[in-house]
Amino acid sequence: MDELPIGRRVAYWRGRRKMSQQVFADRLGKSKSWVDKVERGVRRLDKFSVVYEIADVLQLDVQLLLGREPERRPDSISCIDQIEVEEIRAALERYDCISAFFDAAPQPPPVPEIRKAVSHAWLTYQHAKYGVLARALPKLLRDAQAADTAHGSGDQAPEAAHLLGQVYQIASSALRKLGEHELSWLAADRSIAVSQRAGDPLLAGVATYRVGNALLALGRARPALEVNVNIANRLAPGNGDEASPQRLSVYGMLLLQGAMAAARIGDSATVRDLLHGADEAARALGGDHNHYWTSFGPTNVQLHRAAAAVELGEGRYAVETHETIDHEGFASLLPERRAHHLLDIARGYTQLGDVEKASEMLLEGDRLAPAEIRCRPIAHEVMSDVLRRTRGTPPAPIAELAEHMGVGV
């Protein structure tokens, strides 16, 4: 990108923002012809004021338009910035497995080393350290891809594929939270294919609900519902050894994600059925666990019950569900899961018009996992709603949090 003319960079980022030339021109107060000439290099951008206007419309750091590396802001250190997104994209765009047909595959780190790095990345994600994770993901993707290619036909092939499948899932989850939905879908889709090569149906099941999450984020609620329920039915535990804790966890999470998709399309009957099935699986599991990094168990079922109610517009039921959640079980969950729930409940309170309680939930979530509140687009929407409904000057803690989030008071 750095070597491209500025007009080409404008065209690239306009495309990334899914703006037509006409929409872009309207927002700039220019003609479509003017935009076309700039992007083709016929017209020069020789006024910094215009470059800054373009950057503002594209919601972009002006340094990226100028082909320079943006300065990292101290208050956004825990979020993924545009440089890191592009580095993750570049790692996902590598096709070394094809190149290996013609040249020797690059020597990857030892599989045990990658296994350790993958476990660390999962914990980093579940503690909502998104900035740390973003800086580690490109290298982890390259290493895991190289290991999968190098061990493609050896004894370590299944484990190498398993680890790569997990890395794709971590990337998908982090990218989805931060609004990069198409990249999230791509990473999740890659994970399904790799998981099948790993020979692990449960890993493929987890990859499926990552795909469902990405589809839901893209506004594809019905396909998300169908893919989650379809694979859940295939993994439904039977009698005896099939009802392992790992299988119950993956099966239960597929039902929970299906319930969220059903809530998005307003199908409350299906929501109830899927939550009931997940509740039965959680009871059979006998507690909250983190098998296959799912954080599945009775407490997480309750969290999804509240989240589904918010999606259905039933804020009061969401709040009532929140008030019945077992405190000890909730405290045992990892920070990302707890802060995510508090964000959902903040949304529930805004549906009730209770701005004060919504503010409390945002502040509590920020204390638990700042990146979950400060970095997620949905959290920015909730904060904007809170500020809009606040009479007079907002309380100092909310005003300060809004400033950190970059949301105008």
Side-chain angles (χ1 to χ4, degrees):
M1 282 287 292
D2 291 355
E3 68 276 7
L4 292 177
I6 188 170
R8 292 281 300 280
R9 287 195 289 271
V10 170
Y12 171 80
W13 286 107
R14 177 182 59 76
R16 285 286 310 281
R17 298 295 183 257
K18 292 184 168 37
M19 287 187 209
S20 66
Q21 284 189 336
Q22 186 62 63
V23 168
F24 184 47
D26 291 343
R27 293 184 183 180
L28 280 172
K30 303 286 187 181
S31 67
K32 181 182 175 183
S33 172
W34 184 90
V35 170
D36 182 65
K37 288 177 180 177
V38 165
E39 293 184 348
R40 289 190 293 115
V42 175
R43 186 183 187 102
R44 294 180 58 189
L45 287 174
D46 48 11
K47 289 185 178 180
F48 277 109
S49 60
V50 177
V51 175
Y52 275 99
E53 285 179 30
I54 290 173
D56 186 53
V57 169
L58 293 174
Q59 296 182 315
L60 194 67
D61 192 303
V62 71
Q63 299 298 325
L64 279 176
L65 282 183
L66 297 172
R68 304 168 189 161
E69 182 171 325
E71 296 180 6
R72 298 179 189 272
R73 298 178 305 166
D75 63 347
S76 67
I77 195 68
S78 60
C79 298
I80 295 179
D81 64 25
Q82 290 158 339
I83 295 175
E84 288 153 354
V85 169
E86 291 310 304
E87 288 176 350
I88 294 170
R89 180 189 298 277
L92 287 170
E93 288 172 346
R94 292 168 66 92
Y95 287 91
D96 291 342
C97 57
I98 296 176
S99 301
F101 279 116
F102 307 101
D103 300 296
Q107 187 63 33
V111 168
E113 185 178 317
I114 298 176
R115 187 192 311 127
K116 181 178 179 181
V118 170
S119 294
H120 183 265
W122 273 122
L123 289 172
T124 303
Y125 170 76
Q126 292 191 325
H127 282 83
K129 304 293 185 182
Y130 301 136
V132 175
L133 180 60
R135 289 185 282 280
L137 264 176
K139 182 179 185 303
L140 185 55
L141 277 163
R142 292 192 295 269
D143 287 346
Q145 288 165 339
D148 181 58
T149 300
H151 299 295
S153 58
D155 294 339
Q156 292 183 299
E159 184 174 8
H162 203 287
L163 291 170
L164 178 56
Q166 291 185 62
V167 177
Y168 282 141
Q169 290 184 31
I170 296 167
S172 175
S173 297
L175 290 164
R176 176 183 57 83
K177 278 186 176 288
L178 295 145
E180 294 289 336
H181 302 320
E182 290 185 358
L183 270 186
S184 172
W185 178 85
L186 172 63
D189 185 67
R190 292 262 184 91
S191 179
I192 286 184
V194 175
S195 300
Q196 289 174 326
R197 286 199 287 104
D200 185 347
L202 297 183
L203 184 66
V206 179
T208 298
Y209 81 71
R210 307 284 179 200
V211 167
N213 276 342
L215 288 171
L216 193 59
L218 287 166
R220 305 284 293 162
R222 195 166 294 280
L225 171 61
E226 291 172 356
V227 72
N228 277 295
V229 172
N230 180 32
I231 302 303
N233 288 337
R234 292 169 185 260
L235 289 178
N239 296 320
D241 293 338
E242 284 194 345
S244 67
Q246 293 81 4
R247 193 180 189 104
L248 285 166
S249 296
V250 175
Y251 168 70
M253 280 305 298
L254 284 162
L255 294 180
L256 290 180
Q257 297 308 320
M260 295 305 300
R264 184 69 62 85
I265 58 179
D267 187 348
S268 56
T270 299
V271 171
R272 285 194 299 271
D273 288 345
L274 294 175
L275 286 174
H276 178 72
D279 190 52
E280 288 185 336
R283 291 177 188 277
L285 184 62
D288 296 297
H289 298 279
N290 202 18
H291 299 300
Y292 278 77
W293 308 98
T294 57
S295 293
F296 181 72
T299 306
N300 208 353
V301 172
Q302 286 295 87
L303 267 56
H304 280 78
R305 195 183 302 279
V310 172
E311 288 296 335
L312 289 166
E314 300 173 357
R316 187 167 302 282
Y317 180 64
V319 169
E320 290 171 354
T321 301
H322 167 70
E323 291 172 348
T324 65
I325 290 172
D326 176 66
H327 292 290
E328 186 176 340
F330 185 70
S332 70
L333 296 177
L334 287 160
E336 176 273 332
R337 190 84 283 279
R338 285 185 283 161
H340 185 151
H341 170 70
L342 293 170
L343 176 56
D344 286 333
I345 300 306
R347 293 173 63 201
Y349 276 119
T350 60
Q351 290 174 359
L352 296 177
D354 193 336
V355 175
E356 184 178 348
K357 292 296 289 185
S359 299
E360 287 180 17
M361 295 297 103
L362 289 174
L363 291 169
E364 189 175 344
D366 184 63
R367 285 191 289 270
L368 272 173
E372 183 70 14
I373 303 301
R374 301 185 186 194
C375 303
R376 295 192 62 192
I378 184 65
H380 288 214
E381 292 176 17
V382 176
M383 176 60 84
S384 295
D385 195 16
V386 165
L387 294 176
R388 186 169 57 252
R389 296 186 185 200
T390 299
R391 294 181 178 179
T393 304
I398 280 293
E400 183 179 352
L401 178 56
E403 184 178 356
H404 281 303
M405 295 170 70
V407 178
V409 178

